[in-house]
């Protein structure tokens, strides 16, 4: 993978929590600058401020939607149950890169901002979250 050094992209980070989940959840950085073909590392922080253990699970999306096919996560906490004990606070890494082909797609020529957004939900027995796909 060869980095495309002349194409700088601002990646911003968003965090939401469904009303049923009593967690505090936020990105540890609001933005970073990346170039296609180079890996980047970002962190989110989650805290269970309650007095009981809670299991959460997250989904994510990428905006603009068309850029999502180029956004590749190497390591991520999404779609896996995360158990936080009472008052526990954890750092959650996201290791990612933007595919160098991003720079060659004419639809991406005016895209210089990508937002990665996560939403945490309380995990419920028997419920499955939809996995996003780009076809």
């Amino acid at each position: 993978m060869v980095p495309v050094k002349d194409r700088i992209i601002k990646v911003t980070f968003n965090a939401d929590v469904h009303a049923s989940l009593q967690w505090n959840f936020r990105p540890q950085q609001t933005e970073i600058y990346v170039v296609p073909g180079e890996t980047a590392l970002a962190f989110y922080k989650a805290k269970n401020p309650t007095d009981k253990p809670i299991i959460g699970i997250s989904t994510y999306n990428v905006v603009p939607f068309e850029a999502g096919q180029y956004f590749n996560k190497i390591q991520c906490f999404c779609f896996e149950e995360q158990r936080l004990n009472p008052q526990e606070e954890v750092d959650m890494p996201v290791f990612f890169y933007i595919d160098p082909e991003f720079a060659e797609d004419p639809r991406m020529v005016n895209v210089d901002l990508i937002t990665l957004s996560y939403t945490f939900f309380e995990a419920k027995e028997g419920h499955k979250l939809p996995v996003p796909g780009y076809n």
Side-chain angles (χ1 to χ4, degrees):
M1 194 163 58
V2 178
V4 183
K5 296 285 189 185
D6 62 345
R7 187 70 197 275
I8 298 171
I9 302 162
K10 179 179 174 180
V11 178
T12 61
F13 302 92
N14 182 59
D16 293 302
V17 178
H18 186 268
S20 69
L21 182 64
Q22 297 178 315
W23 279 9
N24 300 326
F25 177 59
R26 63 180 173 79
Q28 291 193 34
Q29 63 289 302
T30 56
E31 64 190 40
I32 60 174
Y33 292 87
V34 300
V35 299
E38 276 189 350
T39 58
L41 182 62
F43 288 91
Y44 283 76
K45 187 176 287 287
K47 181 175 183 178
N48 174 3
T50 73
D51 59 358
K52 66 182 191 313
I54 299 176
I55 298 173
I57 191 165
S58 70
T59 62
Y60 77 96
N61 66 3
V62 175
V63 177
F65 177 78
E66 299 79 14
Q69 65 184 314
Y70 299 107
F71 199 99
N72 294 284
K73 292 186 305 330
I74 299 165
Q75 179 186 356
C76 174
F77 52 85
C78 54
F79 306 112
E80 294 179 5
E81 291 186 350
Q82 307 289 328
R83 178 189 168 100
L84 293 185
N85 290 314
Q87 303 300 318
E88 184 179 8
E89 185 173 57
V90 295
D91 293 332
M92 298 179 166
V94 180
F95 190 39
F96 69 93
Y97 68 94
I98 296 170
D99 192 301
E101 290 182 13
F102 174 94
E104 296 175 26
D105 186 336
R107 299 173 305 150
M108 299 296 111
V109 70
N110 293 319
V111 175
D112 56 5
L113 171 64
I114 294 175
T115 300
L116 176 62
S117 182
Y118 285 93
T119 301
F120 254 103
F121 299 86
E122 187 168 358
K124 302 281 187 187
E125 186 93 21
H127 284 83
K128 298 285 182 200
L129 293 176
V131 177
Y134 301 99
N135 296 328

